[in-house]
Amino acid sequence: MTKPPTFEDLLASTQRSAIHLEMRDGYMESDPSFIAWKAGKRNLPEDNEPERRRWLTWVRQATDRGAVIRRARVFSVPESDYLRFEHHVSDANVRAGEQIAWLPRRRATDIAFPGNDFWVFDNELVLVLHFTGDGESPEDWMELTTDPKIRDLCVSAFEAVWERAIPHSEYRPV
């Protein structure tokens, strides 16, 4: 049986683009970085240094290959603590080459969304993300598909959000 690809594998094989839509107001609140942020600790090395935060290295490697990585977040206002934390640590993501935009949920009412957060790699492969009610990742949290209907819905939703979202450099949480 073939071992499924890791997220690192998926991003490493991306040649042109990776888009990511997040629609929850909270994720993995057991994350030590989030807990430290809530306690007032800001700009920790584990949030900002590629050697300590692998995501930043993966993004830089992909963007250095010419891939464009875009993340859009649809969220409630006022923002949850977790979304304020994400905004804070997203500065490092942007420095690594990721483009990020923010769309308040009230401005998204007319957009048709899939039921889950997702990634689309090179406009072909969709990674559907499943979370528990409290934002944690269950064992089977990643589902891969090339179903064109799912891909088209995901791409359409993402592009509709991106078109009206606020760039990270301009968005300030309430």
Side-chain angles (χ1 to χ4, degrees):
M1 179 174 238
T2 305
K3 181 180 172 187
T6 64
F7 187 84
E8 182 180 8
D9 296 334
L10 293 169
L11 198 56
S13 67
T14 299
Q15 296 302 308
R16 298 178 311 280
S17 66
I19 59 174
H20 179 38
L21 185 61
E22 296 179 349
M23 300 178 286
R24 297 178 54 92
D25 288 325
Y27 298 87
M28 302 170 280
E29 294 193 15
S30 61
D31 176 352
S33 292
F34 174 60
I35 293 167
W37 181 88
K38 280 181 66 173
K41 297 176 182 166
R42 304 290 195 269
N43 299 316
L44 299 173
E46 51 269 25
D47 295 335
N48 296 294
E49 295 176 6
E51 304 79 36
R52 310 254 327 253
R53 189 168 160 219
R54 295 178 306 164
W55 172 252
L56 301 176
T57 299
W58 301 344
V59 167
R60 177 55 60 205
Q61 290 169 344
T63 57
D64 284 351
R65 280 193 314 277
V68 175
I69 301 176
R70 296 184 294 158
R71 177 190 310 250
R73 293 184 173 120
V74 177
F75 59 94
S76 302
V77 176
E79 299 84 353
S80 66
D81 283 346
Y82 195 88
L83 265 288
R84 283 191 284 279
F85 162 72
E86 278 196 329
H87 187 274
H88 177 76
V89 298
S90 290
D91 290 340
N93 294 39
V94 171
R95 285 191 303 273
E98 185 176 359
Q99 299 173 34
I100 300 175
W102 301 78
L103 184 65
R105 196 172 310 282
R106 286 183 174 266
R107 294 177 55 195
T109 302
D110 61 337
I111 298 173
F113 288 108
N116 297 288
D117 290 7
F118 61 84
W119 282 89
V120 179
F121 300 96
D122 290 331
N123 207 31
E124 296 171 9
L125 180 64
V126 179
L127 174 63
V128 179
L129 304 174
H130 300 282
F131 294 96
T132 62
D134 58 1
E136 298 295 327
S137 305
E139 188 174 315
D140 61 344
W141 74 295
M142 295 179 17
E143 174 187 353
L144 289 170
T145 182
T146 55
D147 182 318
K149 288 181 184 178
I150 294 172
R151 182 206 55 224
D152 291 350
L153 174 61
C154 291
V155 170
S156 173
F158 180 88
E159 294 301 341
V161 168
W162 193 260
E163 181 178 295
R164 60 179 82 166
I166 303 161
H168 178 73
S169 63
E170 297 173 22
Y171 186 74
R172 297 292 170 261
V174 178

